[in-house]
Amino acid sequence: MRVLVVGSGAREHALLLALSRDPGVTALMCAPGNAGIAKIAEQHPVDIASGEAVASLAKKLDADLVIIGPEVPLVLGVADAVRSAGISCFGPSAAAARIEGSKAFAKDVMAAAGVRTAHSEVIDNPAKLDEALDRFGPNWVVKDDGLAAGKGVVVTTDRDTARDHAAELLENGHPVLLESFLDGPEVSLFCVVDGETVVPLLPAQDHKRVGDGDTGPNTGGMGAYTPLPWLPDETVARIVDEVVMPVAAELVARGCAFTGLLYAGLAIGKDGPAVVEFNCRFGDPETQAVLALLKSPLGQLLNAAATGTLDQVAPLEWYDGSAVTVVVAAEYYPAPPRTGDVIIGSDGDGILHAGTKMVEGQVVSAGGRVLSIVGVGPDLTAARDDAYGKIATVKLPGSHYRKDIGLAAVEGRITVN
Ligand code: GLY
């Protein structure tokens, strides 16, 4: 099977590494890729937002399967264009990708499916902002009702901060979603979905704030670990039954069946799981940890979903132990980052590339999240040691990373009520 992966982050690097372990995958291609991906896949430049360009590249490369990593092409209908060209595609249609692209659509689907989620209101008129803010708090959750790569979310106990963020979004023409705050530890559960067939992967936890101890602004994600030692065994099945299956069935009923990766971001509160958000693709950086433990062939799994045969796939097998990924970010990230610095030690086992490119034979930084370092081990402590040991070998001027990925779990500080 010839596989083309669309995207250029550490998530795509992780997908390609897992695909390279699948004996059924005969050719690995990536568009556009990055300096690390170049070592394991043939790279091709493409405008990933153009369905026509991606479909025609896939045809030229004689791809049997196209896997679309990021949300923007999915929301723009790139998967539809690839399927229209007669090529199997792992990724939802534009209609189904609204589960991430429009938070208002996601709320409507969840309400119809009877899925627990935060109470929310969409505000598009600045004159209504203050009275709406008064209906929320003491924790305000303010979101951009569109795609914002995680950075459009502000969670704060300070009303002025909430107001400033909402006002700025409105000034820029973006409707604002105000949500009630969901209590409880967060879980990312990725499910491979084909219509009403749902196959969950290992649960993971992201660390969205930039600083240790969950301080500072939100980012695209600074690190993750899997599995979750504090999560009761039955919770994954409960999330599948109470959340993912009903949403998948509701999308089928609306004529926009989901084919791809449905990512449920949840808070596990005292009444059980409640949805913080849905995404229509693999999460970054959780994918880097989750796929490090996948023993089953990834290409066969994703191809089954893309071709409507997911119900025939054997139960997934996983390696024992834990995996941790730690993101090395460029100076200033999540503000506009410093780029163009030479990275020392960017090559090696478990060093996945995101914002990197080759310049005159050297690997240089080219984005906010630069590398994802993956550690594995028999338990979470060992996996953390492995990841942080690898990070010590990487040198990027001005870079920063969180020192506490998975630490609260190791120290037993996460509990489910
Ligand atoms: N892990 C956050 C995201 O992928 O959106």
Side-chain angles (χ1 to χ4, degrees), residues 11 71 100 149-150 188 190 206 208 219-221 263 277 279 281-286 369:
R11 165 185 49 207
E71 61 276 20
E100 174 166 2
S188 300
F190 299 166
D206 192 4
K208 294 205 175 80
T219 67
Y263 160 166
E277 64 179 3
N279 293 313
R281 37 81 197 172
F282 281 96
D284 188 341
E286 299 97 312
R369 292 189 292 175

